[in-house]
């Protein structure tokens, strides 16, 4: 009888732990989905900042998860692209770099997406001060996008971001690839991707805008 009681106690303890873990996973997933939905419609500095803060709260609570940290860095960079001359940009860049370095140390991070975001970071440096940072960082942009493609050829983001960046370089620095062809290749890759919470999916709206000039 005593052995049976111990077994039952052990069983219910395991069941409680399992249900608690499932509940935690569900809260994290729903919180992330909610933030991503808001991110997809955020168009102003204020709305992007609100979404960024929501991802930051999730990142603080689930410090072992890489996606919220990734999206904090991404939204910091989006605010820079939206207003390149803002006085807040230096702080945004510093924090974005800190988050990217944090991602380098986490397990399970999608390395292709991380390299893409590094390229996006260096591109933001150039956008903020083209005259000073263009020659200084253009190779960092190129090399990170190329690395992202090498790591995962099915990732659509580095394909079109590299093509767009090259399009704005002097001709002698360009690879010679067909610009619109690369954009359409990226579009096809987006269409093949599953729209899951566990997958990064930003960039499609920007790509769609670029494609309007390839009709």
């Amino acid at each position: 009888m005593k052995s049976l009681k111990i077994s039952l106690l052990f069983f219910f303890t395991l069941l409680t732990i399992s249900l608690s873990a499932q509940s935690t996973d569900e809260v994290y997933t729903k919180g992330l989905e909610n933030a991503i939905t808001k991110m997809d419609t955020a168009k102003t500095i204020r709305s992007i900042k609100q979404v960024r803060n929501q991802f930051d709260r999730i990142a603080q609570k689930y410090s072992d998860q890489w996606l919220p940290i990734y999206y904090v860095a991404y939204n910091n960079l989006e605010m820079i692209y939206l207003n390149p001359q803002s006085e807040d940009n230096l702080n945004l860049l510093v924090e974005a770099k800190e988050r990217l370095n944090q991602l380098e140390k986490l397990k399970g991070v999608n390395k292709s997406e991380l390299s893409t975001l590094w390229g996006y970071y260096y591109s933001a440096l150039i956008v903020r001060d083209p005259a000073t940072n263009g020659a200084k960082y253009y190779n960092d942009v190129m090399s990170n996008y190329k690395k992202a493609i090498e790591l995962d050829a099915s990732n659509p983001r580095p394909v079109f971001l590299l093509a767009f960046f090259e399009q704005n370089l002097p001709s002698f620095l360009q690879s010679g690839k067909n610009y619109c062809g690369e954009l359409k290749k990226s579009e096809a890759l987006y269409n093949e991707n599953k729209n899951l919470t566990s997958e990064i999916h930003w960039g499609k709206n920007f790509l769609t805008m670029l494609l309007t000039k390839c009709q």
Side-chain angles (χ1 to χ4, degrees):
M1 178 64 72
K2 184 177 181 180
S3 176
L4 178 61
K5 288 182 178 179
I6 293 174
S7 296
L8 287 172
L9 179 61
F10 180 68
F11 169 77
F12 284 115
T13 299
L14 288 178
L15 181 61
T16 300
I17 293 173
S18 176
L19 290 174
S20 177
Q22 290 177 12
S23 176
T24 299
D25 290 343
E26 186 177 350
V27 170
Y28 166 73
T29 300
K30 286 185 176 180
L32 194 64
E33 287 176 346
N34 179 266
I36 291 173
T37 299
K38 291 180 180 178
M39 182 184 73
D40 288 341
T41 57
K43 304 296 181 185
T44 65
I45 295 290
R46 183 180 179 182
S47 60
I48 294 172
K49 188 173 183 179
Q50 289 174 342
V51 172
R52 176 254 173 234
N53 291 341
Q54 186 172 347
F55 280 118
D56 191 39
R57 289 191 292 271
I58 298 172
Q60 291 178 31
K61 189 172 182 180
Y62 302 96
S63 57
D64 60 332
Q65 298 292 331
W66 70 274
L67 282 169
I69 299 170
Y70 177 99
Y71 280 124
V72 169
Y74 165 71
N75 281 284
N76 274 21
L77 297 177
E78 283 295 276
M79 285 187 274
I80 295 169
Y81 283 108
L82 201 59
N83 188 5
Q85 304 308 316
S86 171
E87 294 180 356
D88 297 328
N89 286 350
L90 183 58
N91 290 332
L92 291 173
L93 283 166
V94 169
E95 185 185 40
K97 188 174 184 179
E98 288 175 352
R99 297 305 178 119
L100 287 166
N101 284 326
Q102 186 179 356
L103 288 170
E104 293 283 1
K105 301 172 184 177
L106 282 181
K107 294 181 179 179
V109 176
N110 184 314
K111 297 298 184 181
S112 176
E113 297 291 3
L114 180 54
S115 289
T116 301
L117 204 56
W118 271 117
Y120 207 53
Y121 163 80
Y122 285 112
S123 181
L125 284 172
I126 295 174
V127 167
R128 182 170 178 264
D129 188 354
T132 303
N133 293 335
K136 187 176 180 180
Y137 293 117
Y138 91 91
N139 191 55
D140 293 292
V141 177
M142 301 274 289
S143 61
N144 274 289
Y145 287 155
K146 288 178 181 178
K147 180 181 177 182
I149 294 170
E150 289 174 2
L151 288 167
D152 183 5
S154 68
N155 185 348
R157 276 160 292 283
V159 174
F160 89 84
L161 288 171
L162 177 60
F164 175 70
F165 186 74
E166 276 196 356
Q167 183 74 0
N168 292 281
L169 291 176
S171 58
F172 68 91
L173 291 174
Q174 296 181 14
S175 65
K177 290 183 178 179
N178 181 275
Y179 173 63
C180 287
E182 290 299 293
L183 297 189
K184 290 175 182 178
K185 176 182 177 181
S186 179
E187 181 183 36
L189 291 173
Y190 269 111
N191 292 335
E192 291 173 5
N193 282 357
K194 298 176 181 177
N195 197 19
L196 302 176
T197 304
S198 59
E199 295 181 355
I200 303 295
H201 67 278
W202 62 269
K204 193 171 184 179
N205 289 338
F206 183 35
L207 172 62
T208 301
M209 182 184 72
L210 296 178
L211 281 166
T212 58
K213 297 182 180 180
C214 292
Q215 303 301 325

